[in-house]
Amino acid sequence: MTERGVESHFGLPAEMSSLVGRGPQLAAVLDGLRTARVVTLTGPGGCGKTRLALRAAALADGFDDGAQLVELASLTDPALVPTSVAEALGVPERDATDPMSSVVRALADRELLIVLDNCEHVLASAAGVAVMLAEQCHRLRILTTSRERLDVPGEFVFPVPPLELPEDGSVAAVAASEAGGLFVTRARAASPAFTLTADNSAAIAEVCSRLDGMPLAIELAAARCPALGPAQLAARLDGHPGLLSGGAARPGRHRSLEALVSWSYDLLGEAERRLLARLSVLRGGFDLDVAERVAGGGPLASEAVAGLLASLAGKSLVQSHVGAVVRYSLLETVRQFAAERLAASGEESAVQDNLLRWALEVARSAEESLSSAEWTSWSDRLSAEQASIRAALSWALGGAEPEAGRELAARLARWWIATGRYSEAGQFLTTAAGLPVAAAPGIEARVVLGAAWSAYHLGDNGRAALLATDGIQRARQAGEPQLEVWGRNLLAGLAWSEGDADRIVAEIEASPVLSGPADPALAARAQVLLAHAAFLSGDLGEQDRHGLLAVELARTAASQEGLVLALTAWTISAIAGAGIQPATVAALDEAATVLAAHPDRFAETAMRQWRARLFAALGQLDAAESEVGLCWAAGRSGAVRIVEFGGPLAEARLAAAGGDTAAAVSALRRAADGGRRVGIVMYVPSALAGLACMAAIAGDEATAAAAAGEARAELGGRRQAITAAALGYAEGIMAWHRGELADAEHLVREATAAWHRGCDRMDACDGIELLGVLAAARERFPDAARLLAAAEAARRPLQYLAPGFTADRSAAARAISQTRDALGEDRFIQAWEEGQGLTLDDAVAYAARKGGGRKRPAAGWASLTPAELEVVRLVGEGLRNDAIARRLFIAPGTVKVHLSHIFAKLAITTRAELAAQAASRDLTAG
C-alpha cells in the first residue's frame, strides 16, 4: 500500500497532527472499501473514528476523483443533511428539484469516496443519503462514522477498537504500543522537553490502561504534561473513580471519556470553565472576534477571552487551526459536554441571545454591502460562519426569538440565493413566512421574495410566480425599489423559461431598474433578460445592444457578479447569426477565465454551449467537441437543468458542421424533449425548426413536416420571428423537393428577408444560397451564379465557415457546376464576380427584385400567393388583423396590405364575403 498525500484528495482537511498506530485498522477499513459500497466506523465519542476515516480516505486507491469530507456534527436539523452533502460536494442546487437529485446527477459517473462524519444525531437522514448514493452512483463509495451502524443494505460495519496498550511498564513496551506512542507524541507536542524514560514509562502505561486506550482521553491527559508529570496524572486518576469504572448504563470506554472530559473541565479555572461552556453555542469554527462577541460579557470580560482561549487550546479542549486568521473549534464530544454545563449554569438563554445578536449584525452588514466592493469578503465571512448562524436561526425560529429570527432569515435571503443555497433558504424562509405576527413590509418582502427565488431554482415555477407577485407588492409598500427589481427579474426569468418574449419585456419595463439607480448586479441581470427577449423575438441587433449593456453593468457590480452570464448573452447574437468577430471570441475567453477563478456551474453550462457553437461555426471541430464535453460536465456536476437541452443543441451544431445530418437530427430531437422534460421550453420551437430544416434538406419530408407542425403548436401565439422564418424555410425546401419550385422560391425568399430583418446574417446567407440553387433549377443561370457567389462572399466576414442547420452546401456545389456548364466559363466568371461584389444587403435586395416566380394570373383565386392564402384561411376562422398578425408573426399593417391585395384580386369588398368564399372552397380547414 502506497501512501498518497492528502493534498491529492482536495476534499479532505489537512492533518493538524500525526496519526499514531492504527495500521491493522487502516488495512481492515481499506479492505472494506474494496468490497462494500457503504463502510461504517462505529464506536463511542473519542475513540478515533474521524481520524481513522480521514486517513483511510487519504490512502484509498481506485478513486480517480479523490475523496470528500462531509461534516454533519454541526447540524441541528436532520432535514439539512441533503443540503450539507450537496454543499460539501460543491454541487449547487440551481435548477434542481431537491439537493440529493442534484448530487446524484452530478456524481453519476464519478469515482469518488465520500466521508460522512458524525452521523449518529441525524442517523435516519444520513442513512437515506447513503442508500440513495449507493444505489444510483455505482462508482461511488461511502465511508461513515457514527456511534451506531446506519443499518443500510450492504453496509460493512467496523467497530473501532481502542488503541493497543503497553504489554508492561517498560520503556520498550510503552514505545512499541499505540496508546503509549500517542501519549508520548502528544506530551512532547505540549512540552518539547518531555521524554520517555524508565522513570515515567510505568506511569504512562498505567494512564493509558486506565483510559482504556481511548485516543481523545489520552490526548487530553497528555496535554496536561506541562503542569503534571505522568506519575501525578496517574495519581489524579485515582481520585476520579469514574475514569476506571461505572454503572451499567454506559459502555466502559464511553464512561471513561466522559469522566476524563469532566476531570479536564474540573481542572480549569472558573473563567476557563465559563468560556468553554459558552463556546458550546458556536458550531463549525469561529475566530477570536466571534468568541469575544458571543462568549464575553458579565463576569467574563471580552478582553480576557483571547488569553483564556489560548489556554483552552493548550489543554486540547479547544482545537486551533492556523491560517491567515486563526480559527478555533470544539470536538463534538467536548462541545456536547460543555453544552450540558451551559444549560446547567442558567446562562444558556443569554449566550444564545448573544449569538443571535451577533448573527444579525453580520447579516445586516453583509446585506448593506451587496452593491459594494466589500460584498465578496462579507459573503466569504457568511460562508465561514454559516454553521453558527444556522444554529442561531434554528434557536430563534424555534420559538425563542421568532421576530429576530425572521429578520435574520430575511437579511440572509439575497446571500442564500446568490450562493446557491436554495433548499436551506426555502426551509428557513418558509418557516419565517409562517410566523403569525406581521413584520415590517421590507422584512416580509425579503422573506417572500427569497422563498420565491428558492422555489424557482428548485423547480416549482407556479409557487415562485405567486410568491414573487406577493413579494413585489410588499416591496412597493416598503418603498424599496431594489427588492422590487429582484422580484421583477424573477418574473421575467419565469417568462424566459416559457419562451414568452413579450412578458419578459413587460416585467422589465414595469421594474424600477429602468427608471432609477439600481444595484448593478440586478440591473445587469435585467439587461440579460431583455437580451434573451430580443433573441427569442428574432431581433439580434437588439439582443446585441442589451447584451453589451449587461456586460458594462456587470463590470461595475460587486465582484463583477453576473459577468459570465452577461458576456455569454452578448455573444449569442454573433454566434446565432449576426456574425463572429474577434471581440466575440475574446468575450467568451474572458468568461472562461472568470469561471476558473469563481466557479458557477449554471453560468459555465450556458457559456460552454455557446463556445461549442462558436467553434463549430468556425469549423474548428476538435475544439467544439471539447466544449461539448465541458458543457455536459459542468451541467451534470452542478445538476443544471439547462444542460438537458443546451448539451444536445451543442452536439447538434457540431454534427451539422461535420456534415452528419442524422446525428444532428437526433440531437435536435433530444434537445426539444429535454427542454420539455425540465420545464424550460423557450428553445423547444427553435430546436424543432432546426430539426425540420435538416430533415427537409435530407429529403425526409415526413419527419420535417411533423417537426414543423410540432414547432408551430409549441409556439402558440408567442413571437419568435427567426424560428418562424426557419419553419417557412423548411416548408420551402419540402416544396422544392416536391418540384413546386415557384412556391419553394417564394417561401425561401420570405424566410431570408425575415432573417435579414432580424440581423440573422448567417441563416440569411443560407437563404441566398438556396435561392441560387432554386434559380438554377428554374434555369435562371445568371441569377443563380450571382446569388451563389454572393452567399459565399458574405459568409467569410461573418466567420460562418462550417454549415449550420439551414445550409445545404452539397446542393449548392451541384448548382454551381450546373450553372457553370450552362453559362460557359466566361459568362459564369462574369456573373460570379458580379455576385461576389454584392454585400449581403445587396444580395437580399437582388433576390427580392430578380427572384422571378411562376407566372400567376393577375386576378382570381389562382393569383393569390401562399401568404395571402394563409391570411384568407385565418379570416375564415374569424380572426381579426391583430390576431392574424400574432399567428403569422407579422405586423398588423402587413396583414392590412395582404387584405387589400386579396380584395383587389378577388373583386370583393368585405371580410364577410371573403370568409364565405373561403368556406365554400374549404380553405378554413387546417
Side-chain angles (χ1 to χ4, degrees), residues 248-379:
R250 295 175 184 267
R253 288 194 301 273
H254 203 167
R255 290 197 309 272
S256 297
L257 176 62
E258 289 180 345
L260 181 62
V261 174
S262 176
W263 173 65
S264 297
Y265 180 81
D266 290 343
L267 290 175
L268 298 174
E270 176 61 29
E272 290 174 316
R273 289 198 295 269
R274 190 183 298 274
L275 176 60
L276 185 64
R278 292 180 175 185
L279 291 175
S280 67
V281 302
L282 297 171
R283 301 301 185 99
F286 55 90
D287 60 21
L288 176 60
D289 178 68
V290 176
E292 289 175 336
R293 294 293 308 280
V294 174
L300 185 60
S302 295
E303 56 268 23
V305 169
L308 294 170
L309 193 56
S311 177
L312 290 173
K315 295 166 183 172
S316 293
L317 287 165
V318 170
Q319 309 298 302
S320 62
H321 310 275
V322 178
V325 175
V326 177
R327 290 184 66 81
Y328 302 89
S329 64
L330 273 66
L331 292 172
E332 187 59 16
T333 301
V334 175
R335 196 202 65 77
Q336 290 176 9
F337 174 89
E340 292 175 359
R341 294 301 183 272
L342 179 65
S345 72
E347 292 188 337
E348 181 178 16
S349 180
V351 178
Q352 290 282 12
D353 190 65
N354 285 349
L355 175 65
L356 178 60
R357 302 305 161 195
W358 162 80
L360 265 172
E361 289 182 19
V362 172
R364 287 168 182 156
S365 297
E367 189 190 41
E368 289 173 359
S369 75
L370 273 168
S371 302
S372 74
E374 298 174 357
W375 165 242
T376 300
S377 61
W378 276 108
S379 179

Side-chain angles (χ1 to χ4, degrees), residues 603-617:
E604 182 175 3
T605 302
M607 185 272 293
R608 294 294 180 189
Q609 180 212 157
W610 287 101
R611 276 177 71 90
R613 296 175 71 165
L614 166 76
F615 289 125

Side-chain angles (χ1 to χ4, degrees), residues 4-32:
R4 296 175 299 178
V6 173
E7 62 273 12
S8 67
H9 298 268
F10 56 87
L12 300 180
E15 292 185 343
M16 301 303 294
S17 58
S18 60
L19 178 68
V20 178
R22 294 299 196 190
Q25 291 79 28
L26 276 170
V29 174
L30 292 171
D31 283 344

Side-chain angles (χ1 to χ4, degrees), residues 1-6 9 12-23 25-27 29-30 33 41 48-61 67 69 113 115 143 145 186:
M1 181 169 56
T2 302
E3 181 168 342
R4 296 175 299 178
V6 173
H9 298 268
L12 300 180
E15 292 185 343
M16 301 303 294
S17 58
S18 60
L19 178 68
V20 178
R22 294 299 196 190
Q25 291 79 28
L26 276 170
V29 174
L30 292 171
L33 286 171
L41 307 188
K49 300 184 296 294
T50 298
R51 181 68 64 83
L52 180 60
L54 291 177
R55 176 54 65 92
L59 297 179
D61 292 317
L69 172 65
L113 174 60
V115 182
L143 177 59
T145 72
R186 299 297 184 257

